[in-house]
């Protein structure tokens, strides 16, 4: 067997199923939209993402899984038209409210999920997918991104397959296998005939930045589901044992920053 014999798209789907991966219903993201959408200035992650992009010769952007619009709105002043695509209406509402607050009248929302029909989604010079690539079918997702990009695609994918510190997961007895990570993307793109570029962005994990234990526990529950009393007690002990570690949410993680050209 050689590399050419391996169907990395199928391998990804099998890995995702074995790891118990699931697509969160849009209502879960709707419930978080207001909190996530509080505009607090540019983050280091957004700066790191945009700093790796080439906008030369580009006028339009499609931001897939745009969330509250951190990438789309930061780039909008440099472009003629920006589309924010997400399956959460709550997130799109926040995008448009923030766009209005910034005086950006050339931002448009598109409500779509990864698995939906994208035939009416406009093609743009650049397509981005920032921290939104934990999908059930990576080969299909990459084909959609590639098809909608006239010039370039930029995305980030988790390195190591875990969003939360492994020690926290172990405290709760939630030590399921890691999700498939960025290496599948590189191999699928290779099979697609693309030449992906690879870099890394270090970022705080999902539990970072909480102000108190209750906020911390809510973030943990968003990822793992309901936590019983014994689990809460163990989390509380971990949280109180090292306040600085708790503020960081445990160990940081890396995003793989992957880009490619769609033109010959």
């Amino acid at each position: 067997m050689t590399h050419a014999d391996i169907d990395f798209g199928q391998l990804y789907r099998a890995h995702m199923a074995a790891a118990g991966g699931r697509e969160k219903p849009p209502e879960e993201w709707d419930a978080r939209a207001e909190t996530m959408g509080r505009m607090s200035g540019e983050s280091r992650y957004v700066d790191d993402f945009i700093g790796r992009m080439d906008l030369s010769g580009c006028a339009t952007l499609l931001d897939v899984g745009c969330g509250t619009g951190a990438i789309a709105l930061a780039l909008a002043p440099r472009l003629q038209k920006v589309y924010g695509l997400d399956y959460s209406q709550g997130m799109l509402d926040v995008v448009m409210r923030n766009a209005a607050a910034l005086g950006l009248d050339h931002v448009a929302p598109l409500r779509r999920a990864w698995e939906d029909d994208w035939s009416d989604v406009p093609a743009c010079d650049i397509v981005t997918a920032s921290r939104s690539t934990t999908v059930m079918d990576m080969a299909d997702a990459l084909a959609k991104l590639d098809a909608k990009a006239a010039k370039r695609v930029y995305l980030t994918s988790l390195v190591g397959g875990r969003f939360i510190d492994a020690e926290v997961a172990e405290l709760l007895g939630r030590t399921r296998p890691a999700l498939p990570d960025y290496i599948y993307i590189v191999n699928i793109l290779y099979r697609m005939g693309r030449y992906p570029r690879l870099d890394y962005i270090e970022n705080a994990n999902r539990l970072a930045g909480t102000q108190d234990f209750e906020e911390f526990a809510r973030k943990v529950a968003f990822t793992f589901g309901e936590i019983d009393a014994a689990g809460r007690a163990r989390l509380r002990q971990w949280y109180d044992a090292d306040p600085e570690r708790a503020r960081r949410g445990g160990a940081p993680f890396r995003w793989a920053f992957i880009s490619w050209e769609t033109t010959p």
Side-chain angles (χ1 to χ4, degrees):
M1 177 180 288
T2 69
H3 183 279
D5 297 316
I6 302 172
D7 183 343
F8 286 98
Q10 176 56 39
L11 199 60
Y12 175 96
R13 292 189 292 272
H15 186 156
M16 182 64 82
R22 69 178 182 92
E23 186 71 67
K24 291 183 182 295
E27 292 78 15
E28 290 192 32
W29 292 108
D30 291 345
R32 298 188 68 196
E34 292 300 324
T35 300
M36 292 176 63
R38 292 171 187 158
M39 299 178 68
S40 57
E42 294 182 353
S43 71
R44 175 183 169 186
Y45 170 86
V46 172
D47 291 341
D48 285 345
F49 189 104
I50 292 175
R52 288 165 168 79
M53 295 178 65
D54 176 9
L55 301 183
S56 60
C58 296
T60 56
L61 168 75
L62 172 65
D63 187 16
V64 178
C66 64
T68 58
I71 299 296
L73 297 182
L75 289 170
R78 302 162 64 180
L79 299 165
Q80 294 177 15
K81 187 70 178 182
V82 170
Y83 298 93
L85 183 151
D86 206 287
Y87 73 150
S88 164
Q89 186 60 51
M91 293 291 182
L92 294 175
D93 290 344
V94 172
V95 171
M96 298 311 296
R97 186 169 69 241
N98 288 345
L102 293 168
L104 301 171
D105 60 3
H106 59 297
V107 177
L110 295 170
R111 189 176 183 185
R112 297 287 188 284
W114 281 103
E115 62 272 15
D116 287 344
D117 178 9
W118 284 19
S119 58
D120 62 344
V121 172
C124 292
D125 293 324
I126 293 177
V127 175
T128 56
S130 168
R131 298 185 289 197
S132 61
T133 57
T134 305
V135 298
M136 300 301 106
D137 188 336
M138 183 59 73
D140 181 67
L142 293 175
K144 284 178 172 173
L145 296 177
D146 192 79
K148 294 301 177 180
K151 295 185 178 180
R152 305 175 193 112
V153 180
Y154 299 94
L155 63 80
T156 47
S157 177
L158 188 63
V159 175
R162 298 186 189 279
F163 286 98
I164 284 184
D165 188 296
E167 187 178 354
V168 174
E170 188 173 350
L171 285 174
L172 299 174
R174 312 289 180 88
T175 54
R176 65 188 184 191
L179 297 170
D181 76 352
Y182 77 99
I183 201 63
Y184 287 96
I185 295 176
V186 173
N187 283 294
I188 293 169
L189 288 171
Y190 174 84
R191 292 289 299 272
M192 289 170 58
R194 296 308 189 196
Y195 298 93
R197 297 181 178 91
L198 177 62
D199 199 355
Y200 298 94
I201 298 174
E202 187 171 293
N203 194 223
N205 70 42
R206 282 183 173 179
L207 303 181
T210 55
Q211 300 301 309
D212 54 36
F213 174 73
E214 291 304 321
E215 184 182 2
F216 176 78
R218 285 195 298 272
K219 284 193 173 185
V220 173
F222 181 76
T223 295
F224 290 112
E226 187 175 352
I227 304 169
D228 62 21
R232 264 184 79 88
R234 290 192 294 273
L235 278 180
R236 185 74 201 224
Q237 185 177 21
W238 183 91
Y239 186 91
D240 291 339
D242 186 340
E244 179 58 26
R245 178 187 64 181
R247 187 189 65 78
R248 296 193 308 267
F253 58 74
R254 289 186 178 90
W255 293 98
F257 182 91
I258 300 172
S259 63
W260 70 95
E261 305 279 340
T262 60
T263 52

